[in-house]
Amino acid sequence: MAALFTEKDEALVKESWEIMKQNIPEYSLRFFTIILEIAPAAKNMFSFLRDSDEIPHNNPKLKAHAVKVFKMTCESAIQLREKGEVVVGETTLKYLGAIHLKNGVIDLHFEVVKQALLRTIEEATAEKWSEELKCAWGVAYDQLAAAIKAEMKEEAT
C-alpha cells in the first residue's frame, strides 16, 4: 500500500501544498463550505460551527482546523515515503482517534472530507490540477484516514 505513494506523488503534493499555503483562509473556508454542501448535518460535528447558521468567515478555529487537516495530510504523505508508514505524533494520533470517536465520526464522514479536500485542492491548483495530483492526494489522505480509523477502533475497545 505504502509503495503507491511515489517520489513523483510526493513532489506533486508538496508543490500543491505550497500553492495552498499562500491563501489558507480562503481555502479553509472553501473546504468547510464543500463539506457542508455534501453533508449539511456534519455542521453539528464541529464545535466551532454548531452555534451559527452559516459558516463564519472569520472564525479562527475553522481556519486552524482546515490548516491542520491539509497540513497533516500533506506531512503524513511525505513521511509515508520516508518511513513507509503514516507517522503523526503518537499523542496526536491517539487524540485524533479519541476525538473522532467521541464526535461519532464514521467511515462515510472520512469519504466526505476526502471529496471536499480533493475539490478544494482542484480549485486551488487550477491549471496544475491533474489526475496524477488527485491520485497523489487521495493516497495520502487514505493513509492518514486509515491510521485514524485504526486508533478509533483501538480507542473503542
mmCIF file of all heavy atoms in Angstrom, residues 65-115:
data_model
loop_
_atom_site.group_PDB
_atom_site.id
_atom_site.type_symbol
_atom_site.label_atom_id
_atom_site.label_comp_id
_atom_site.label_asym_id
_atom_site.label_seq_id
_atom_site.Cartn_x
_atom_site.Cartn_y
_atom_site.Cartn_z
ATOM 1 N N HIS A 65 -8.511 24.548 12.007
ATOM 2 C CA HIS A 65 -8.844 23.144 11.774
ATOM 3 C C HIS A 65 -8.536 22.743 10.330
ATOM 4 O O HIS A 65 -7.965 21.687 10.091
ATOM 5 C CB HIS A 65 -10.317 22.867 12.094
ATOM 6 C CG HIS A 65 -10.635 21.405 12.090
ATOM 7 N ND1 HIS A 65 -10.247 20.562 13.104
ATOM 8 C CD2 HIS A 65 -11.268 20.633 11.189
ATOM 9 C CE1 HIS A 65 -10.638 19.329 12.819
ATOM 10 N NE2 HIS A 65 -11.263 19.338 11.660
ATOM 11 N N ALA A 66 -8.913 23.576 9.402
ATOM 12 C CA ALA A 66 -8.664 23.264 7.987
ATOM 13 C C ALA A 66 -7.167 23.178 7.718
ATOM 14 O O ALA A 66 -6.705 22.265 7.031
ATOM 15 C CB ALA A 66 -9.311 24.312 7.093
ATOM 16 N N VAL A 67 -6.409 24.108 8.269
ATOM 17 C CA VAL A 67 -4.953 24.099 8.085
ATOM 18 C C VAL A 67 -4.395 22.773 8.605
ATOM 19 O O VAL A 67 -3.572 22.134 7.956
ATOM 20 C CB VAL A 67 -4.278 25.290 8.814
ATOM 21 C CG1 VAL A 67 -2.767 25.137 8.809
ATOM 22 C CG2 VAL A 67 -4.673 26.597 8.151
ATOM 23 N N LYS A 68 -4.886 22.375 9.778
ATOM 24 C CA LYS A 68 -4.421 21.134 10.392
ATOM 25 C C LYS A 68 -4.671 19.937 9.471
ATOM 26 O O LYS A 68 -3.807 19.087 9.289
ATOM 27 C CB LYS A 68 -5.145 20.927 11.726
ATOM 28 C CG LYS A 68 -4.227 20.517 12.845
ATOM 29 C CD LYS A 68 -4.975 20.318 14.130
ATOM 30 C CE LYS A 68 -5.275 21.625 14.827
ATOM 31 N NZ LYS A 68 -6.086 21.481 16.030
ATOM 32 N N VAL A 69 -5.880 19.878 8.898
ATOM 33 C CA VAL A 69 -6.233 18.748 8.032
ATOM 34 C C VAL A 69 -5.343 18.712 6.788
ATOM 35 O O VAL A 69 -4.773 17.681 6.450
ATOM 36 C CB VAL A 69 -7.728 18.799 7.624
ATOM 37 C CG1 VAL A 69 -8.054 17.733 6.581
ATOM 38 C CG2 VAL A 69 -8.621 18.613 8.843
ATOM 39 N N PHE A 70 -5.215 19.867 6.121
ATOM 40 C CA PHE A 70 -4.375 19.930 4.909
ATOM 41 C C PHE A 70 -2.934 19.563 5.232
ATOM 42 O O PHE A 70 -2.306 18.757 4.563
ATOM 43 C CB PHE A 70 -4.384 21.348 4.317
ATOM 44 C CG PHE A 70 -5.599 21.653 3.497
ATOM 45 C CD1 PHE A 70 -6.491 22.633 3.890
ATOM 46 C CD2 PHE A 70 -5.848 20.987 2.303
ATOM 47 C CE1 PHE A 70 -7.605 22.932 3.123
ATOM 48 C CE2 PHE A 70 -6.953 21.287 1.526
ATOM 49 C CZ PHE A 70 -7.845 22.261 1.942
ATOM 50 N N LYS A 71 -2.428 20.200 6.289
ATOM 51 C CA LYS A 71 -1.022 20.046 6.649
ATOM 52 C C LYS A 71 -0.724 18.604 7.074
ATOM 53 O O LYS A 71 0.264 18.021 6.663
ATOM 54 C CB LYS A 71 -0.715 21.019 7.793
ATOM 55 C CG LYS A 71 0.728 21.369 7.897
ATOM 56 C CD LYS A 71 0.931 22.540 8.836
ATOM 57 C CE LYS A 71 2.401 22.756 9.027
ATOM 58 N NZ LYS A 71 2.890 22.678 10.335
ATOM 59 N N MET A 72 -1.603 18.055 7.888
ATOM 60 C CA MET A 72 -1.390 16.695 8.372
ATOM 61 C C MET A 72 -1.431 15.698 7.218
ATOM 62 O O MET A 72 -0.642 14.755 7.176
ATOM 63 C CB MET A 72 -2.459 16.340 9.401
ATOM 64 C CG MET A 72 -2.010 15.295 10.361
ATOM 65 S SD MET A 72 -3.280 14.896 11.557
ATOM 66 C CE MET A 72 -3.389 16.400 12.499
ATOM 67 N N THR A 73 -2.355 15.909 6.285
ATOM 68 C CA THR A 73 -2.453 15.017 5.127
ATOM 69 C C THR A 73 -1.169 15.096 4.313
ATOM 70 O O THR A 73 -0.583 14.077 3.936
ATOM 71 C CB THR A 73 -3.669 15.379 4.246
ATOM 72 O OG1 THR A 73 -4.848 15.326 5.047
ATOM 73 C CG2 THR A 73 -3.822 14.423 3.085
ATOM 74 N N CYS A 74 -0.731 16.314 4.077
ATOM 75 C CA CYS A 74 0.481 16.547 3.304
ATOM 76 C C CYS A 74 1.704 15.950 4.016
ATOM 77 O O CYS A 74 2.475 15.196 3.420
ATOM 78 C CB CYS A 74 0.660 18.051 3.108
ATOM 79 S SG CYS A 74 2.054 18.490 2.086
ATOM 80 N N GLU A 75 1.861 16.263 5.284
ATOM 81 C CA GLU A 75 3.031 15.787 6.028
ATOM 82 C C GLU A 75 3.035 14.280 6.199
ATOM 83 O O GLU A 75 4.072 13.637 6.110
ATOM 84 C CB GLU A 75 3.102 16.475 7.389
ATOM 85 C CG GLU A 75 3.544 17.915 7.259
ATOM 86 C CD GLU A 75 3.458 18.689 8.572
ATOM 87 O OE1 GLU A 75 2.956 18.137 9.575
ATOM 88 O OE2 GLU A 75 3.896 19.854 8.573
ATOM 89 N N SER A 76 1.858 13.710 6.459
ATOM 90 C CA SER A 76 1.823 12.259 6.644
ATOM 91 C C SER A 76 2.149 11.563 5.328
ATOM 92 O O SER A 76 2.754 10.499 5.304
ATOM 93 C CB SER A 76 0.490 11.785 7.222
ATOM 94 O OG SER A 76 -0.538 11.918 6.277
ATOM 95 N N ALA A 77 1.776 12.179 4.202
ATOM 96 C CA ALA A 77 2.099 11.618 2.889
ATOM 97 C C ALA A 77 3.609 11.600 2.669
ATOM 98 O O ALA A 77 4.177 10.611 2.209
ATOM 99 C CB ALA A 77 1.431 12.443 1.796
ATOM 100 N N ILE A 78 4.249 12.680 3.025
ATOM 101 C CA ILE A 78 5.695 12.783 2.831
ATOM 102 C C ILE A 78 6.417 11.795 3.747
ATOM 103 O O ILE A 78 7.357 11.117 3.341
ATOM 104 C CB ILE A 78 6.151 14.247 3.033
ATOM 105 C CG1 ILE A 78 5.641 15.067 1.834
ATOM 106 C CG2 ILE A 78 7.659 14.351 3.159
ATOM 107 C CD1 ILE A 78 5.481 16.529 2.100
ATOM 108 N N GLN A 79 5.940 11.667 4.971
ATOM 109 C CA GLN A 79 6.550 10.718 5.907
ATOM 110 C C GLN A 79 6.300 9.277 5.474
ATOM 111 O O GLN A 79 7.082 8.386 5.764
ATOM 112 C CB GLN A 79 6.021 10.957 7.318
ATOM 113 C CG GLN A 79 6.564 12.248 7.890
ATOM 114 C CD GLN A 79 5.936 12.592 9.219
ATOM 115 O OE1 GLN A 79 4.860 12.128 9.556
ATOM 116 N NE2 GLN A 79 6.617 13.429 9.977
ATOM 117 N N LEU A 80 5.188 9.099 4.785
ATOM 118 C CA LEU A 80 4.851 7.775 4.280
ATOM 119 C C LEU A 80 5.967 7.291 3.349
ATOM 120 O O LEU A 80 6.372 6.136 3.394
ATOM 121 C CB LEU A 80 3.524 7.875 3.520
ATOM 122 C CG LEU A 80 2.885 6.609 2.996
ATOM 123 C CD1 LEU A 80 2.478 5.737 4.172
ATOM 124 C CD2 LEU A 80 1.675 6.955 2.158
ATOM 125 N N ARG A 81 6.454 8.184 2.525
ATOM 126 C CA ARG A 81 7.542 7.836 1.608
ATOM 127 C C ARG A 81 8.846 7.619 2.368
ATOM 128 O O ARG A 81 9.583 6.694 2.116
ATOM 129 C CB ARG A 81 7.732 8.945 0.571
ATOM 130 C CG ARG A 81 7.142 8.571 -0.757
ATOM 131 C CD ARG A 81 7.605 9.481 -1.854
ATOM 132 N NE ARG A 81 9.049 9.604 -1.987
ATOM 133 C CZ ARG A 81 9.872 8.662 -2.417
ATOM 134 N NH1 ARG A 81 9.415 7.488 -2.739
ATOM 135 N NH2 ARG A 81 11.158 8.888 -2.533
ATOM 136 N N GLU A 82 9.096 8.503 3.313
ATOM 137 C CA GLU A 82 10.368 8.441 4.034
ATOM 138 C C GLU A 82 10.436 7.264 5.004
ATOM 139 O O GLU A 82 11.449 6.612 5.136
ATOM 140 C CB GLU A 82 10.596 9.749 4.804
ATOM 141 C CG GLU A 82 10.890 10.922 3.881
ATOM 142 C CD GLU A 82 10.920 12.259 4.617
ATOM 143 O OE1 GLU A 82 10.804 12.276 5.864
ATOM 144 O OE2 GLU A 82 11.039 13.292 3.934
ATOM 145 N N LYS A 83 9.319 7.006 5.696
ATOM 146 C CA LYS A 83 9.336 5.994 6.762
ATOM 147 C C LYS A 83 8.552 4.737 6.423
ATOM 148 O O LYS A 83 8.565 3.770 7.168
ATOM 149 C CB LYS A 83 8.799 6.607 8.047
ATOM 150 C CG LYS A 83 9.627 7.813 8.498
ATOM 151 C CD LYS A 83 9.219 8.254 9.898
ATOM 152 C CE LYS A 83 10.167 9.277 10.469
ATOM 153 N NZ LYS A 83 10.031 10.607 9.940
ATOM 154 N N GLY A 84 7.775 4.794 5.329
ATOM 155 C CA GLY A 84 6.996 3.623 4.943
ATOM 156 C C GLY A 84 5.716 3.427 5.730
ATOM 157 O O GLY A 84 5.033 2.417 5.613
ATOM 158 N N GLU A 85 5.396 4.390 6.579
ATOM 159 C CA GLU A 85 4.141 4.310 7.336
ATOM 160 C C GLU A 85 3.689 5.719 7.705
ATOM 161 O O GLU A 85 4.465 6.664 7.641
ATOM 162 C CB GLU A 85 4.335 3.489 8.610
ATOM 163 C CG GLU A 85 5.368 4.090 9.547
ATOM 164 C CD GLU A 85 5.583 3.284 10.818
ATOM 165 O OE1 GLU A 85 4.712 2.460 11.162
ATOM 166 O OE2 GLU A 85 6.610 3.486 11.474
ATOM 167 N N VAL A 86 2.416 5.837 8.072
ATOM 168 C CA VAL A 86 1.900 7.134 8.490
ATOM 169 C C VAL A 86 2.481 7.446 9.859
ATOM 170 O O VAL A 86 2.347 6.657 10.790
ATOM 171 C CB VAL A 86 0.349 7.136 8.570
ATOM 172 C CG1 VAL A 86 -0.153 8.426 9.196
ATOM 173 C CG2 VAL A 86 -0.232 6.986 7.168
ATOM 174 N N VAL A 87 3.128 8.576 9.951
ATOM 175 C CA VAL A 87 3.683 8.986 11.231
ATOM 176 C C VAL A 87 3.083 10.340 11.588
ATOM 177 O O VAL A 87 3.287 11.329 10.910
ATOM 178 C CB VAL A 87 5.227 9.131 11.163
ATOM 179 C CG1 VAL A 87 5.772 9.532 12.527
ATOM 180 C CG2 VAL A 87 5.867 7.850 10.688
ATOM 181 N N VAL A 88 2.272 10.307 12.610
ATOM 182 C CA VAL A 88 1.755 11.552 13.175
ATOM 183 C C VAL A 88 2.176 11.418 14.616
ATOM 184 O O VAL A 88 2.183 10.312 15.148
ATOM 185 C CB VAL A 88 0.208 11.616 13.066
ATOM 186 C CG1 VAL A 88 -0.316 12.927 13.589
ATOM 187 C CG2 VAL A 88 -0.244 11.414 11.632
ATOM 188 N N GLY A 89 2.521 12.502 15.259
ATOM 189 C CA GLY A 89 2.955 12.408 16.658
ATOM 190 C C GLY A 89 2.077 11.435 17.416
ATOM 191 O O GLY A 89 0.866 11.472 17.286
ATOM 192 N N GLU A 90 2.664 10.545 18.172
ATOM 193 C CA GLU A 90 1.936 9.473 18.860
ATOM 194 C C GLU A 90 0.703 10.005 19.602
ATOM 195 O O GLU A 90 -0.384 9.481 19.468
ATOM 196 C CB GLU A 90 2.893 8.764 19.832
ATOM 197 C CG GLU A 90 2.395 7.450 20.364
ATOM 198 C CD GLU A 90 1.874 6.486 19.286
ATOM 199 O OE1 GLU A 90 2.537 6.306 18.253
ATOM 200 O OE2 GLU A 90 0.789 5.917 19.492
ATOM 201 N N THR A 91 0.891 11.064 20.371
ATOM 202 C CA THR A 91 -0.244 11.594 21.125
ATOM 203 C C THR A 91 -1.284 12.150 20.161
ATOM 204 O O THR A 91 -2.469 12.024 20.387
ATOM 205 C CB THR A 91 0.206 12.728 22.079
ATOM 206 O OG1 THR A 91 0.954 13.676 21.311
ATOM 207 C CG2 THR A 91 1.056 12.214 23.200
ATOM 208 N N THR A 92 -0.833 12.738 19.062
ATOM 209 C CA THR A 92 -1.763 13.305 18.102
ATOM 210 C C THR A 92 -2.655 12.229 17.520
ATOM 211 O O THR A 92 -3.864 12.398 17.435
ATOM 212 C CB THR A 92 -1.002 14.014 16.957
ATOM 213 O OG1 THR A 92 -0.014 14.844 17.531
ATOM 214 C CG2 THR A 92 -1.927 14.849 16.131
ATOM 215 N N LEU A 93 -2.082 11.104 17.123
ATOM 216 C CA LEU A 93 -2.871 10.034 16.523
ATOM 217 C C LEU A 93 -3.868 9.472 17.539
ATOM 218 O O LEU A 93 -5.029 9.251 17.219
ATOM 219 C CB LEU A 93 -1.948 8.934 15.986
ATOM 220 C CG LEU A 93 -2.490 8.094 14.836
ATOM 221 C CD1 LEU A 93 -3.043 8.948 13.711
ATOM 222 C CD2 LEU A 93 -1.421 7.172 14.301
ATOM 223 N N LYS A 94 -3.406 9.265 18.774
ATOM 224 C CA LYS A 94 -4.305 8.786 19.830
ATOM 225 C C LYS A 94 -5.422 9.797 20.062
ATOM 226 O O LYS A 94 -6.588 9.448 20.161
ATOM 227 C CB LYS A 94 -3.538 8.568 21.133
ATOM 228 C CG LYS A 94 -2.699 7.325 21.114
ATOM 229 C CD LYS A 94 -2.473 6.807 22.518
ATOM 230 C CE LYS A 94 -1.600 5.575 22.550
ATOM 231 N NZ LYS A 94 -1.839 4.612 21.474
ATOM 232 N N TYR A 95 -5.049 11.060 20.137
ATOM 233 C CA TYR A 95 -6.021 12.127 20.346
ATOM 234 C C TYR A 95 -7.030 12.168 19.187
ATOM 235 O O TYR A 95 -8.227 12.281 19.397
ATOM 236 C CB TYR A 95 -5.296 13.476 20.470
ATOM 237 C CG TYR A 95 -6.239 14.656 20.476
ATOM 238 C CD1 TYR A 95 -7.012 14.947 21.608
ATOM 239 C CD2 TYR A 95 -6.377 15.460 19.356
ATOM 240 C CE1 TYR A 95 -7.893 16.009 21.603
ATOM 241 C CE2 TYR A 95 -7.255 16.532 19.344
ATOM 242 C CZ TYR A 95 -8.011 16.807 20.474
ATOM 243 O OH TYR A 95 -8.893 17.854 20.460
ATOM 244 N N LEU A 96 -6.518 12.060 17.955
ATOM 245 C CA LEU A 96 -7.400 12.084 16.782
ATOM 246 C C LEU A 96 -8.388 10.930 16.823
ATOM 247 O O LEU A 96 -9.572 11.104 16.527
ATOM 248 C CB LEU A 96 -6.573 11.997 15.491
ATOM 249 C CG LEU A 96 -5.810 13.258 15.089
ATOM 250 C CD1 LEU A 96 -4.869 12.959 13.938
ATOM 251 C CD2 LEU A 96 -6.761 14.374 14.718
ATOM 252 N N GLY A 97 -7.895 9.752 17.210
ATOM 253 C CA GLY A 97 -8.784 8.598 17.325
ATOM 254 C C GLY A 97 -9.870 8.856 18.345
ATOM 255 O O GLY A 97 -11.055 8.635 18.091
ATOM 256 N N ALA A 98 -9.480 9.371 19.505
ATOM 257 C CA ALA A 98 -10.424 9.611 20.593
ATOM 258 C C ALA A 98 -11.459 10.669 20.219
ATOM 259 O O ALA A 98 -12.657 10.484 20.436
ATOM 260 C CB ALA A 98 -9.664 10.040 21.851
ATOM 261 N N ILE A 99 -11.005 11.771 19.644
ATOM 262 C CA ILE A 99 -11.912 12.877 19.330
ATOM 263 C C ILE A 99 -12.870 12.509 18.188
ATOM 264 O O ILE A 99 -14.052 12.838 18.224
ATOM 265 C CB ILE A 99 -11.140 14.197 19.051
ATOM 266 C CG1 ILE A 99 -12.027 15.418 19.285
ATOM 267 C CG2 ILE A 99 -10.572 14.266 17.661
ATOM 268 C CD1 ILE A 99 -12.003 15.907 20.692
ATOM 269 N N HIS A 100 -12.387 11.775 17.211
ATOM 270 C CA HIS A 100 -13.259 11.355 16.109
ATOM 271 C C HIS A 100 -14.295 10.351 16.603
ATOM 272 O O HIS A 100 -15.445 10.388 16.184
ATOM 273 C CB HIS A 100 -12.442 10.773 14.947
ATOM 274 C CG HIS A 100 -11.775 11.815 14.111
ATOM 275 N ND1 HIS A 100 -10.574 12.382 14.454
ATOM 276 C CD2 HIS A 100 -12.150 12.410 12.945
ATOM 277 C CE1 HIS A 100 -10.243 13.287 13.525
ATOM 278 N NE2 HIS A 100 -11.172 13.313 12.608
ATOM 279 N N LEU A 101 -13.882 9.480 17.512
ATOM 280 C CA LEU A 101 -14.799 8.506 18.094
ATOM 281 C C LEU A 101 -15.866 9.238 18.913
ATOM 282 O O LEU A 101 -17.063 8.990 18.769
ATOM 283 C CB LEU A 101 -14.011 7.538 18.984
ATOM 284 C CG LEU A 101 -14.760 6.295 19.469
ATOM 285 C CD1 LEU A 101 -15.070 5.360 18.301
ATOM 286 C CD2 LEU A 101 -13.929 5.552 20.509
ATOM 287 N N LYS A 102 -15.423 10.153 19.734
ATOM 288 C CA LYS A 102 -16.323 10.927 20.605
ATOM 289 C C LYS A 102 -17.363 11.702 19.787
ATOM 290 O O LYS A 102 -18.521 11.823 20.171
ATOM 291 C CB LYS A 102 -15.482 11.895 21.455
ATOM 292 C CG LYS A 102 -16.269 12.663 22.487
ATOM 293 C CD LYS A 102 -15.335 13.521 23.327
ATOM 294 C CE LYS A 102 -15.917 14.841 23.567
ATOM 295 N NZ LYS A 102 -15.525 16.031 23.065
ATOM 296 N N ASN A 103 -16.938 12.226 18.648
ATOM 297 C CA ASN A 103 -17.850 13.007 17.817
ATOM 298 C C ASN A 103 -18.692 12.156 16.871
ATOM 299 O O ASN A 103 -19.412 12.674 16.031
ATOM 300 C CB ASN A 103 -17.070 14.050 17.006
ATOM 301 C CG ASN A 103 -16.589 15.184 17.895
ATOM 302 O OD1 ASN A 103 -17.144 15.445 18.955
ATOM 303 N ND2 ASN A 103 -15.541 15.866 17.467
ATOM 304 N N GLY A 104 -18.570 10.829 16.999
ATOM 305 C CA GLY A 104 -19.408 9.939 16.207
ATOM 306 C C GLY A 104 -19.026 9.861 14.740
ATOM 307 O O GLY A 104 -19.868 9.617 13.873
ATOM 308 N N VAL A 105 -17.763 10.065 14.445
ATOM 309 C CA VAL A 105 -17.304 10.011 13.056
ATOM 310 C C VAL A 105 -17.343 8.557 12.560
ATOM 311 O O VAL A 105 -16.921 7.647 13.269
ATOM 312 C CB VAL A 105 -15.868 10.579 12.927
ATOM 313 C CG1 VAL A 105 -15.331 10.393 11.523
ATOM 314 C CG2 VAL A 105 -15.857 12.056 13.308
ATOM 315 N N ILE A 106 -17.893 8.379 11.365
ATOM 316 C CA ILE A 106 -17.948 7.045 10.759
ATOM 317 C C ILE A 106 -17.220 7.080 9.408
ATOM 318 O O ILE A 106 -16.868 8.153 8.921
ATOM 319 C CB ILE A 106 -19.410 6.564 10.578
ATOM 320 C CG1 ILE A 106 -20.207 7.588 9.751
ATOM 321 C CG2 ILE A 106 -20.071 6.314 11.931
ATOM 322 C CD1 ILE A 106 -21.584 7.135 9.310
ATOM 323 N N ASP A 107 -17.043 5.907 8.803
ATOM 324 C CA ASP A 107 -16.313 5.817 7.531
ATOM 325 C C ASP A 107 -16.828 6.789 6.472
ATOM 326 O O ASP A 107 -16.056 7.403 5.750
ATOM 327 C CB ASP A 107 -16.370 4.391 6.983
ATOM 328 C CG ASP A 107 -15.403 3.465 7.725
ATOM 329 O OD1 ASP A 107 -14.753 3.934 8.689
ATOM 330 O OD2 ASP A 107 -15.293 2.295 7.342
ATOM 331 N N LEU A 108 -18.142 6.910 6.392
ATOM 332 C CA LEU A 108 -18.752 7.796 5.404
ATOM 333 C C LEU A 108 -18.247 9.241 5.550
ATOM 334 O O LEU A 108 -18.020 9.936 4.568
ATOM 335 C CB LEU A 108 -20.284 7.758 5.556
ATOM 336 C CG LEU A 108 -21.071 8.573 4.542
ATOM 337 C CD1 LEU A 108 -20.944 7.944 3.167
ATOM 338 C CD2 LEU A 108 -22.529 8.661 4.951
ATOM 339 N N HIS A 109 -18.061 9.663 6.790
ATOM 340 C CA HIS A 109 -17.578 11.029 7.043
ATOM 341 C C HIS A 109 -16.179 11.236 6.470
ATOM 342 O O HIS A 109 -15.861 12.298 5.958
ATOM 343 C CB HIS A 109 -17.572 11.340 8.549
ATOM 344 C CG HIS A 109 -18.941 11.295 9.157
ATOM 345 N ND1 HIS A 109 -19.182 10.654 10.346
ATOM 346 C CD2 HIS A 109 -20.121 11.795 8.737
ATOM 347 C CE1 HIS A 109 -20.472 10.761 10.637
ATOM 348 N NE2 HIS A 109 -21.057 11.447 9.674
ATOM 349 N N PHE A 110 -15.345 10.209 6.575
ATOM 350 C CA PHE A 110 -13.987 10.306 6.025
ATOM 351 C C PHE A 110 -14.049 10.499 4.508
ATOM 352 O O PHE A 110 -13.250 11.206 3.929
ATOM 353 C CB PHE A 110 -13.170 9.049 6.361
ATOM 354 C CG PHE A 110 -12.643 9.035 7.775
ATOM 355 C CD1 PHE A 110 -13.269 8.297 8.768
ATOM 356 C CD2 PHE A 110 -11.501 9.754 8.111
ATOM 357 C CE1 PHE A 110 -12.777 8.276 10.074
ATOM 358 C CE2 PHE A 110 -10.986 9.742 9.408
ATOM 359 C CZ PHE A 110 -11.631 9.008 10.386
ATOM 360 N N GLU A 111 -15.036 9.844 3.874
ATOM 361 C CA GLU A 111 -15.212 9.975 2.421
ATOM 362 C C GLU A 111 -15.625 11.394 2.044
ATOM 363 O O GLU A 111 -15.163 11.950 1.056
ATOM 364 C CB GLU A 111 -16.263 8.979 1.913
ATOM 365 C CG GLU A 111 -15.683 7.665 1.456
ATOM 366 C CD GLU A 111 -14.446 7.798 0.568
ATOM 367 O OE1 GLU A 111 -14.525 8.416 -0.514
ATOM 368 O OE2 GLU A 111 -13.388 7.295 0.951
ATOM 369 N N VAL A 112 -16.531 11.966 2.839
ATOM 370 C CA VAL A 112 -16.998 13.335 2.590
ATOM 371 C C VAL A 112 -15.825 14.306 2.675
ATOM 372 O O VAL A 112 -15.638 15.161 1.811
ATOM 373 C CB VAL A 112 -18.109 13.740 3.606
ATOM 374 C CG1 VAL A 112 -18.394 15.236 3.556
ATOM 375 C CG2 VAL A 112 -19.389 12.948 3.333
ATOM 376 N N VAL A 113 -15.025 14.147 3.711
ATOM 377 C CA VAL A 113 -13.864 15.026 3.894
ATOM 378 C C VAL A 113 -12.883 14.844 2.741
ATOM 379 O O VAL A 113 -12.326 15.819 2.224
ATOM 380 C CB VAL A 113 -13.189 14.776 5.271
ATOM 381 C CG1 VAL A 113 -11.869 15.522 5.370
ATOM 382 C CG2 VAL A 113 -14.123 15.216 6.386
ATOM 383 N N LYS A 114 -12.707 13.613 2.299
ATOM 384 C CA LYS A 114 -11.802 13.358 1.172
ATOM 385 C C LYS A 114 -12.287 14.080 -0.086
ATOM 386 O O LYS A 114 -11.507 14.735 -0.776
ATOM 387 C CB LYS A 114 -11.692 11.850 0.916
ATOM 388 C CG LYS A 114 -10.750 11.507 -0.235
ATOM 389 C CD LYS A 114 -10.678 10.013 -0.460
ATOM 390 C CE LYS A 114 -9.750 9.669 -1.601
ATOM 391 N NZ LYS A 114 -9.644 8.218 -1.794
ATOM 392 N N GLN A 115 -13.588 13.957 -0.371
ATOM 393 C CA GLN A 115 -14.150 14.636 -1.544
ATOM 394 C C GLN A 115 -13.934 16.139 -1.459
ATOM 395 O O GLN A 115 -13.547 16.783 -2.426
ATOM 396 C CB GLN A 115 -15.654 14.371 -1.650
ATOM 397 C CG GLN A 115 -16.022 13.035 -2.227
ATOM 398 C CD GLN A 115 -17.545 12.860 -2.244
ATOM 399 O OE1 GLN A 115 -18.288 13.782 -2.574
ATOM 400 N NE2 GLN A 115 -17.992 11.675 -1.874
#
